[in-house]
Amino acid sequence: MTDESHHHRTEQGGGGFFSREAMGSIPWMVLSKLVLFFVYFGISILTVNALGKEKYGVYSLMMNISAYMLMLCGLGLGVALMRYVPELAARRNRFGLIHLLWKSATLQLIAVLALSMVLTSLSGPLQRLFKAEHVEHFHFYLKLACGLTGLLLLKDFVGTVFTSLFKTRTVAILSIASGILWFITLWSWLGMRPEVGTVFAVQLVSVGTIYAIGALALFRYVKNLPWEVKEFGIGKKRALSFSATVMLSSILRMVMFKYSEIFFLAAIAGTTVAGIYDLGYTLPYTVITFLPLAFLPIFTAAFAEAYVRDNSCLGALIKSYYKLLMMVSLPVAVLGSFFCPVAYRIIYDGEMDEAGLIASAFCMVLVLPLVSMPLSAAIKAKEKVLNMVPMLILQIVVNIFLDWLLIVHYRMGVWGGILAVAGTFVLTIPFRLLVVRGIIGGIHFPAAFCLRITAALAALGWGMHWVAEKTRLFEVFESRLVNMAVLFAIGGIYLGLFLLAVRHLRLIRRSDVQDFQALDIKKLNAVLGFLVKGA
């Protein structure tokens, strides 16, 4: 980004690359993710402890089927909305916005109805494929998964449109209300009837109730927008070409990062083993990505907005985004890799100890996909997603081959699944980065910054784990709740020591501060002022 263009952005009312409206949305997204982390953490404990290994495995399989349905029936239109709604809003084109929204919603509704009919007709073969003949209500659970997919599409649609309009307070309120209603209802019902159907029913009630209200609020908001431009805005060919490519890439990514392994494990070892693998994946994924995923829709929309104003800004944006991701995800990943085994033993009362070791490995493996987030936002801003499809096909071929080799042929079980995920990334990343460099002009990955932060965190994590082991800290108290509180206390101490290390060991340099300040997030700048002298 040139000095002249940056000066122009300053005159527009923002000190950084993005509009103040875009960056002002971040606190609400972070707040909602923070609240929902604790809500979903409680839901996970309630569900696993009430259902047990076997029933949880069935529930996990159905949720993974629903996740695939959600991606297929979304048709890539969620990302298309994040790309095009800010553009229409910048042009104050209400007519074009309404046209885009109702067509997107109609296409998704048709897709979910059609796919639900196909899947329910294949209930018998699916039950045999996943060795679930012992599951009495398999067909009914599959219907519930299909119904939940429809409501989750509604949830994603409402949230995506409000987020793209930077109305994240509304998104946060809806998300928190849905999560709290889910937790309270689950806590009330699951004790009386600890069945897979109960868990689904609670989710259907909470998501359906809150997001029906959200859909009405969205309709009223868009209808009352004081915009007078009457143009179609986004052409059909442009929107569908972009969304189809996004859908393909999203499906391929899903296959690579857990979902194909779930189905391979269910087919080879049964739903119980697949459920253990899923639990070992899900909690680290939730903890490590809850802030990056909070940023993702905002940054995707903000990248598009910034690129419309200045098409030379992407390199600096990518570097800033990388550093922000590292600061919020690496501390959790490193600490989790040391403490996940003991955490799972405490949280799930010894029922899911096998999942703890899996989670420890995934804490490191799940950091790898974050490399793609800033690059993906830049590619979407340039509408060059189609250029990455050959690389995604390469990834899926490698991933499926490794799944077969490690899970089916060598019978390595859950560890074969983990190695397949990590191996796919390692074997394909050189080719992917080469293509990305050709599209964007560079990778802009801050390697030195990454090494400094990771080394400091690893030293702290190892030291705290060594102290906990030597003092037998988790054997002092018999209460599970007390030991859970000790785990959170360890996390707080670890974070405090890391911030002290940042301040006194100069882990963040002046050049890093400039990158962070370019984002123009006021609270982040205030934190930097404390951590970096002279910032």
Side-chain angles (χ1 to χ4, degrees):
M1 191 174 189
T2 63
D3 291 339
E4 291 178 0
S5 62
H6 188 272
H7 176 67
H8 178 60
R9 277 287 302 113
T10 303
E11 288 178 342
Q12 287 179 324
F17 299 119
F18 303 143
S19 68
R20 288 284 172 83
E21 188 179 31
M23 291 300 98
S25 302
I26 288 179
W28 283 104
M29 296 301 290
V30 172
L31 174 64
S32 68
K33 289 291 182 180
L34 187 61
V35 172
L36 289 175
F37 164 70
F38 288 103
V39 171
Y40 292 155
F41 181 67
I43 289 170
S44 173
I45 295 173
L46 286 175
T47 304
V48 173
N49 289 343
L51 296 182
K53 286 184 182 180
E54 186 174 332
K55 290 180 182 178
Y56 180 78
V58 175
Y59 171 71
S60 171
L61 176 64
M62 292 299 166
M63 287 302 297
N64 279 281
I65 291 173
S66 176
Y68 258 111
M69 289 183 65
L70 187 64
M71 192 60 65
L72 285 167
C73 299
L75 303 174
L77 291 169
V79 177
L81 290 172
M82 283 193 287
R83 172 62 184 86
Y84 296 129
V85 168
E87 181 178 325
L88 292 168
R91 297 174 182 172
R92 302 179 66 80
N93 185 353
R94 186 171 70 92
F95 180 80
L97 177 61
I98 293 173
H99 191 262
L100 177 66
L101 295 186
W102 80 258
K103 282 202 168 183
S104 299
T106 301
L107 287 171
Q108 289 183 340
L109 177 61
I110 293 171
V112 75
L113 290 174
L115 187 56
S116 295
M117 291 174 63
V118 172
L119 278 180
T120 51
S121 69
L122 296 174
S123 174
L126 288 173
Q127 187 171 14
R128 291 189 294 273
L129 174 65
F130 297 125
K131 301 185 186 305
E133 292 89 345
H134 62 286
V135 180
E136 185 178 354
H137 303 295
F138 188 92
H139 182 71
F140 177 63
Y141 296 155
L142 191 58
K143 285 184 176 180
L144 291 177
C146 292
L148 180 61
T149 303
L151 292 178
L152 291 176
L153 274 174
L154 173 66
K155 172 186 175 182
D156 288 351
F157 182 86
V158 171
T160 296
V161 177
F162 271 129
T163 300
S164 300
L165 293 166
F166 305 116
K167 300 300 177 184
T168 48
R169 181 173 66 175
T170 304
V171 179
I173 292 170
L174 291 172
S175 299
I176 292 170
S178 176
I180 291 175
L181 179 60
W182 183 5
F183 178 81
I184 292 173
T185 312
L186 188 69
W187 181 74
S188 303
W189 291 6
L190 200 55
M192 296 183 291
R193 185 178 172 81
E195 299 292 340
V196 174
T198 306
V199 181
F200 270 112
V202 168
Q203 220 170 336
L204 288 165
V205 168
S206 60
V207 175
T209 302
I210 299 300
Y211 283 94
I213 297 170
L216 290 173
L218 177 62
F219 174 78
R220 290 186 59 186
Y221 177 80
V222 174
K223 182 181 177 182
N224 295 326
L225 285 171
W227 301 344
E228 298 180 357
V229 176
K230 292 187 176 181
E231 300 172 355
F232 280 103
I234 307 300
K236 184 190 300 183
K237 183 178 179 181
R238 182 187 175 196
L240 291 179
S241 174
F242 182 77
S243 63
T245 308
V246 168
M247 181 182 71
L248 177 60
S249 65
S250 299
I251 292 169
L252 295 178
R253 285 194 179 94
M254 283 181 67
V255 173
M256 287 182 295
F257 296 115
K258 178 187 81 162
Y259 295 96
S260 64
E261 288 75 28
I262 287 286
F263 297 126
F264 270 97
L265 287 168
I268 297 299
T271 55
T272 300
V273 172
I276 291 171
Y277 178 89
D278 182 65
L279 186 63
Y281 174 98
T282 302
L283 189 56
Y285 176 83
T286 302
V287 176
I288 292 168
T289 65
F290 89 92
L291 281 177
L293 290 181
F295 298 151
L296 181 59
I298 292 296
F299 274 86
T300 299
F303 264 59
E305 179 191 47
Y307 185 70
V308 168
R309 292 191 175 115
D310 180 4
N311 59 16
S312 67
C313 67
L314 292 180
L317 292 181
I318 290 168
K319 186 161 58 171
S320 300
Y321 192 5
Y322 265 134
K323 291 181 178 179
L324 184 62
L325 286 177
M326 290 172 189
M327 290 298 291
V328 300
S329 60
L330 285 177
V332 182
V334 173
L335 186 66
S337 67
F338 286 105
F339 281 93
C340 266
V342 67
Y344 269 67
R345 188 174 71 248
I346 292 168
I347 292 169
Y348 299 111
D349 204 19
E351 284 290 318
M352 289 287 189
D353 287 356
E354 306 99 314
L357 292 172
I358 298 168
S360 183
F362 266 125
C363 280
M364 289 292 94
V365 173
L366 287 171
V367 174
L368 302 178
L370 299 182
V371 172
S372 301
M373 274 192 179
L375 302 176
S376 177
I379 289 169
K380 287 168 185 171
K382 296 190 73 170
E383 297 184 45
K384 297 291 184 181
V385 180
L386 186 61
N387 298 47
M388 293 303 298
V389 169
M391 290 297 99
L392 291 168
I393 293 173
L394 171 65
Q395 286 177 275
I396 198 66
V397 169
V398 172
N399 188 227
I400 295 296
F401 172 74
L402 290 178
D403 284 343
W404 173 83
L405 183 69
L406 300 174
I407 298 175
V408 179
H409 183 69
Y410 286 113
R411 302 281 172 160
M412 294 178 65
V414 293
W415 295 103
I418 295 169
L419 290 174
V421 173
T424 300
F425 181 88
V426 172
L427 292 174
T428 61
I429 191 64
F431 305 102
R432 291 159 53 200
L433 293 182
L434 187 64
V435 174
V436 170
R437 185 185 295 274
I439 297 172
I440 300 174
I443 305 303
H444 310 287
F445 183 80
F449 180 85
C450 181
L451 288 173
R452 289 198 303 272
I453 298 300
T454 304
L457 289 168
L460 284 172
W462 177 86
M464 295 191 72
H465 183 261
W466 182 83
V467 171
E469 287 286 307
K470 288 295 181 182
T471 59
R472 300 193 176 191
L473 181 62
F474 296 103
E475 297 177 17
V476 174
F477 306 103
E478 293 184 1
S479 170
R480 184 159 63 115
L481 290 176
V482 172
N483 279 324
M484 287 173 63
V486 171
L487 281 172
F488 281 105
I490 287 174
I493 295 168
Y494 170 81
L495 178 60
L497 291 174
F498 173 60
L499 295 178
L500 288 174
V502 169
R503 179 174 174 81
H504 295 290
L505 300 180
R506 297 186 65 247
L507 297 179
I508 297 180
R509 310 286 168 79
R510 292 288 179 88
S511 59
D512 303 322
V513 172
Q514 291 174 357
D515 289 330
F516 283 122
Q517 289 177 339
L519 298 174
D520 196 31
I521 304 173
K522 289 183 178 180
K523 292 184 179 180
L524 175 61
N525 291 340
V527 173
L528 288 171
F530 169 75
L531 294 177
V532 183
K533 298 175 182 178

